[in-house]
Amino acid sequence: MNQDRRDAAAWAKEWQIRQKNRRLLMALGFLLLLAVIGYMIHFTIVHVERTTFKSVEDMRKAMQGRYAIERDYEDIIIEGDEITLTYLSFSHYDREFAEKYGYDYSGEDSVYDDHIEEWDYRNGVIRTQWMGDIIVDKNGNIRRGDRYYSTFYKTDKPRPEPIDPSTLSTPEGDINADISAEDEQLFEEREEIIESTEDAAEEAVPEGENDVQT
């Protein structure tokens, strides 16, 4: 009788061990499946949505130049391993804006310098010191990783020439002009973006080393 009990207890313990090992194998299999799915998603994103390169030098050479969002008067210029983000002053470049809302004599472009720390040519990513990841899309244009819907398009065009305020018919602005809801939202969003950019630059770069002009 005692032997039967010992055999039953041993069988029960062995059954528990088998069940535990089976659950462990199932969990490991599930994790492996997730890893495979994650890799496939990453592979699809990189090779379908981005431009990849053969080497660091190939990527660096291809990405030199000016990239712009013309309608928003923003551009990014890459020179060697340096990258400059500029928000051009609306009133200095957009004649319609200046005529309607006035020319801002005290206003200046907001210019932010950054350094490229890594040319991730395999994944089509430019990694910067504080500006975040710069993604190279399938057409060779770029976008900041935190601004998915704002694409900077590569262009051979130079920056627009600033307006000579003496050529404006109403450099002080149209006193009868009302700011539309659309324009007001645009101004507010732009100011928020510039403020967040300035904060990021100041936080990431040690005091005295941040070359920011506003």
Side-chain angles (χ1 to χ4, degrees):
M1 182 63 70
N2 290 335
Q3 182 62 41
D4 291 340
R5 289 178 179 175
R6 286 193 292 270
D7 291 343
W11 180 87
K13 186 175 182 179
E14 182 180 352
W15 183 85
Q16 290 177 347
I17 292 172
R18 288 178 179 177
Q19 290 295 104
K20 183 177 180 180
N21 289 340
R22 184 176 301 171
R23 288 194 296 269
L24 180 60
L25 289 174
M26 290 177 64
L28 290 175
F30 180 70
L31 291 175
L32 179 61
L33 178 61
L34 289 179
V36 171
I37 293 174
Y39 174 79
M40 291 176 63
I41 292 173
H42 174 75
F43 181 88
T44 300
I45 290 174
V46 170
H47 292 276
V48 174
E49 296 186 359
R50 300 181 189 175
T51 298
T52 57
F53 303 85
K54 294 181 179 179
S55 68
V56 167
E57 287 305 318
D58 283 348
M59 185 178 188
R60 181 188 285 111
K61 182 178 179 180
M63 299 310 298
Q64 301 297 304
R66 179 174 182 258
Y67 301 79
I69 307 178
E70 302 289 0
R71 70 178 188 277
D72 293 340
Y73 293 95
E74 299 176 24
D75 70 15
I76 286 177
I77 294 178
I78 299 175
E79 295 180 324
D81 290 331
E82 307 306 317
I83 181 168
T84 302
L85 168 64
T86 303
Y87 300 93
L88 302 174
S89 174
F90 277 147
S91 77
H92 291 192
Y93 296 91
D94 189 318
R95 182 170 293 274
E96 182 179 350
F97 177 96
E99 293 278 12
K100 187 175 182 181
Y101 300 118
Y103 184 90
D104 184 0
Y105 288 90
S106 64
E108 296 180 356
D109 300 338
S110 298
V111 185
Y112 302 91
D113 296 328
D114 199 356
H115 180 73
I116 296 171
E117 296 188 324
E118 179 185 359
W119 297 91
D120 185 356
Y121 65 94
R122 294 185 179 89
N123 294 301
V125 179
I126 301 170
R127 305 193 190 282
T128 66
Q129 187 176 47
W130 62 263
M131 205 181 293
D133 290 349
I134 307 294
I135 309 299
V136 185
D137 71 14
K138 200 61 181 177
N139 298 313
N141 302 310
I142 61 176
R143 65 174 174 81
R144 294 176 63 184
D146 59 349
R147 297 181 63 189
Y148 190 84
Y149 296 104
S150 297
T151 299
F152 290 78
Y153 294 91
K154 190 165 189 178
T155 177
D156 294 328
K157 294 196 308 182
R159 284 178 177 165
E161 290 294 326
I163 299 167
D164 179 352
S166 66
T167 63
L168 297 171
S169 58
T170 56
E172 73 285 354
D174 184 353
I175 60 174
N176 296 315
D178 293 325
I179 298 179
S180 67
E182 183 179 354
D183 283 346
E184 186 173 10
Q185 181 179 0
L186 174 63
F187 303 155
E188 290 177 355
E189 290 178 352
R190 182 180 172 90
E191 285 303 314
E192 289 176 0
I193 290 171
I194 292 176
E195 287 178 8
S196 65
T197 299
E198 187 167 352
D199 289 343
E202 291 178 350
E203 290 175 4
V205 181
E207 185 176 355
E209 295 185 14
N210 187 19
D211 184 11
V212 178
Q213 306 167 25
T214 55

